[in-house]
């Protein structure tokens, strides 16, 4: 299974990807996690990304594509993957398409998790207190949501027009959301 998980910041992509990884037995590729690992390691790439991420802006397409190509060069992605956090703009969607074509692959489904923004703000405020992620400040969260609307929402529309989008309600318990995603993948069409 080759799955692309879409959704606003805090919609639950990472949480559900961790569960789907066990269910589908494929690797979870989170571009946010890859970037945070670079920041933690203090690598040149991490130093470039650090401030951009803290503000809630997008790191450059060039850096992201390099990281993604590197990750996809590993054998474990041949059987499938759950891609979380990429693509985030139309240029990245085109780059993903080109990369998968080069690898002789095609993703099976793009799943969008939909959560009311008020709930998202509450979730991320909770995480800010619990974990202190630098981009979970109220200001950065507002900016991340605006960036999502401007840059990433067109990707969702693009996949919808291509008939590749499954829309899933991301509100409710973790089990409920997980069950909806699994159902959406199986049915291959939009569910509420
Ligand atoms: P990234 O790490 O991708 O952050 P994000 O998209 O903002 O996503 P989050 O991790 O905040 O949310 P999520 O949807 O994964 O939800 P989660 O499961 O964590 O990116 C971070 C930054 O890296 C970007 O801003 C950008 O700078 C850079 N970046 C990454 N990819 C990039 C790209 N492709 N191009 C350019 N730049 C890129 O859940 C959130 C919280 O809600 C958690 O506390 C969780 O416990 C809770 N929660 C989850 N589900 C539920 C539920 N059902 N009910 C109640 N609470 C829940």
């Amino acid at each position: 299974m080759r799955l692309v998980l879409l959704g606003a910041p805090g919609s639950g992509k990472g949480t559900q990807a961790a569960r789907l990884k066990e269910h589908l037995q494929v690797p979870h590729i989170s571009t946010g996690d890859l970037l945070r690992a670079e920041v933690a390691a203090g690598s040149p790439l991490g130093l470039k990304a650090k401030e951009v991420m803290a503000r809630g802006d997008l790191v450059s397409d060039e850096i992201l594509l390099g990281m993604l190509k590197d990750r996809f060069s590993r054998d474990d992605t041949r059987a499938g993957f759950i891609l979380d956090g990429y693509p985030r703009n139309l240029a990245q969607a085109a780059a993903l398409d080109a990369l998968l074509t080069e690898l002789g692959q095609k993703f099976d489904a793009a799943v969008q998790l939909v959560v009311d923004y008020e709930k998202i703000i509450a979730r991320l405020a909770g995480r800010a207190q619990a974990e202190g992620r630098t981009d979970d400040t109220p200001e950065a969260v507002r900016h991340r949501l605006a960036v999502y609307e401007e840059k990433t929402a067109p990707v969702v529309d693009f996949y919808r027009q291509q008939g590749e989008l499954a829309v899933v309600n991301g509100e409710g318990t973790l089990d409920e959301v997980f069950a909806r995603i699994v159902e959406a993948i199986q049915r291959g069409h939009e569910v509420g």
Side-chain angles (χ1 to χ4, degrees):
M1 171 64 68
R2 299 181 178 95
L3 191 63
V4 174
L5 269 188
L6 300 166
S11 58
K13 303 180 297 292
T15 302
Q16 294 298 332
R19 295 175 150 222
L20 288 162
K21 171 186 165 173
E22 301 304 321
H23 181 73
L24 300 170
Q25 290 292 302
V26 294
H28 167 204
I29 302 174
S30 157
T31 49
D33 286 350
L34 291 174
L35 285 166
R36 279 184 289 276
E38 296 285 348
V39 172
S43 70
L45 193 160
L47 291 176
K48 272 190 198 166
K50 188 174 177 180
E51 294 305 320
V52 180
M53 292 173 75
R55 282 199 308 270
D57 277 319
L58 296 185
V59 176
S60 83
D61 290 348
E62 194 188 352
I63 287 181
L64 264 292
L65 186 59
M67 267 183 16
L68 205 63
K69 281 188 171 168
D70 184 53
R71 184 62 187 84
F72 272 91
S73 69
R74 283 166 54 184
D75 284 348
D76 65 343
T77 57
R78 286 202 193 142
F81 54 80
I82 301 157
L83 192 51
D84 156 16
Y86 193 100
R88 262 182 148 93
N89 59 31
L90 288 171
Q92 292 186 7
L96 176 63
D97 200 39
L99 177 61
L100 292 179
T101 302
E102 199 180 306
L103 297 170
Q105 298 182 2
K106 173 89 185 80
F107 68 78
D108 299 295
V111 173
Q112 180 199 15
L113 293 179
V114 178
V115 177
D116 180 83
Y117 280 6
E118 291 304 314
K119 289 198 171 70
I120 281 180
I121 289 165
R123 283 183 188 183
L124 296 183
R127 187 170 66 186
Q129 285 207 325
E131 296 174 25
R133 210 171 107 172
T134 54
D135 60 350
D136 281 342
T137 60
E139 192 186 28
V141 168
R142 266 197 306 279
H143 189 60
R144 283 158 67 199
L145 289 170
V147 169
Y148 177 79
E149 285 291 327
E150 187 194 338
K151 308 260 165 81
T152 313
V155 175
V156 175
D157 291 338
F158 175 73
Y159 288 146
R160 180 180 288 114
Q161 283 158 17
Q162 303 286 317
E164 288 161 331
L165 185 72
V167 179
V168 168
N169 176 1
E171 296 180 10
T173 66
L174 302 190
D175 285 346
E176 284 166 348
V177 178
F178 177 73
R180 289 184 203 125
I181 297 172
V182 171
E183 188 192 353
I185 297 168
Q186 282 166 355
R187 286 163 57 190
H189 63 81
E190 298 200 4
V191 295

